[in-house]
Amino acid sequence: MQKVCFVTIGATAAFDQLLEAVLTPQFLQALQGSGYTTLSLQYGKNGQKILRDSEAFELAKNHGIEITGFDFNKQGLGQEMWAVKAGEDRAEGVVISHAGSGSILDALRIEAPLIVVPNTSLLHNHQVELAEEMARLGYLVHGSLDDLPATLTEAATLSKKRQAWPPENRGADPGGRGLAGVMDEEMGFYD
């Protein structure tokens, strides 16, 4: 039975450190131990070189994991995110994402198990706060580059008790405040 781990590092500010973290022997071994069969990567502009220069393909083959990847998809990442959902021939997998709000919302909307890893090197970084708050509310697992293998177990546990998205107190109109209103609505914040 197929089980997919889909990793997205973002398109605007590529998060190469996340890509490098999921290509380590420790992470590949954790995938194997959790029954994963496929590691699918949205690797951004420099990712193909990182992937090619790593030993990941050989290591993954030794762990029974197929690695696939692409730089950017103009159609969005919906198909890749849906591939982690349980189905007739698939066990439930996980999305591992940078902490960009668009990627987080895409995964939450389809109720995909989600691990969010903030890119702490960004200037004026809002990603840590977003990941911490969303994890506190029970929507996702806040991961870090230092301990990514352990988050696979956390995500499987959270999947059984994850909060439904969107929040119950969601209104029909975010108050006509543009993007701020949409984000408030999605997050469940009201005056």
Side-chain angles (χ1 to χ4, degrees), residues 22-161:
V22 300
L23 296 175
T24 63
Q26 296 83 2
F27 186 75
L28 293 170
Q29 186 173 8
L31 283 177
Q32 178 191 31
S34 296
Y36 284 87
T37 60
T38 306
L39 176 59
S40 177
L41 307 168
Q42 178 272 312
Y43 51 66
K45 184 171 57 172
N46 302 322
Q48 189 170 20
K49 180 179 179 349
I50 293 168
L51 184 57
R52 187 179 57 240
D53 292 348
S54 78
E55 297 176 7
F57 283 113
E58 191 62 36
L59 291 169
K61 189 196 288 185
N62 293 340
H63 289 292
I65 298 169
E66 175 189 14
I67 297 179
T68 63
F70 59 95
D71 58 353
F72 181 72
N73 184 345
K74 290 180 184 178
Q75 312 302 312
L77 302 176
Q79 182 176 343
E80 290 78 12
M81 288 189 181
W82 274 101
V84 310
K85 302 278 290 171
E88 265 183 41
D89 58 348
R90 275 191 318 263
E92 184 173 72
V94 70
V95 172
I96 300 177
S97 177
H98 63 106
S101 57
S103 295
I104 290 172
L105 290 174
D106 285 347
L108 290 175
R109 284 180 181 133
I110 65 166
E111 298 179 348
L114 179 61
I115 298 168
V116 170
V117 182
N119 183 347
T120 57
S121 68
L122 295 176
L123 187 62
H124 305 300
N125 192 339
H126 65 281
Q127 291 192 358
V128 172
E129 294 90 4
L130 180 58
E132 286 174 349
E133 183 63 12
M134 296 295 286
R136 186 188 70 75
L137 294 171
Y139 294 111
L140 51 82
V141 172
H142 174 197
S144 72
L145 295 174
D146 299 331
D147 198 20
L148 210 46
T151 61
L152 290 173
T153 305
E154 288 180 53
T157 301
L158 180 65
S159 178
K160 294 174 180 67
K161 60 180 182 173

Side-chain angles (χ1 to χ4, degrees), residues 168-183:
E168 294 280 329
N169 60 346
R170 171 186 166 121
D173 176 26
R177 297 178 296 170
L179 180 59
V182 171
M183 291 304 295

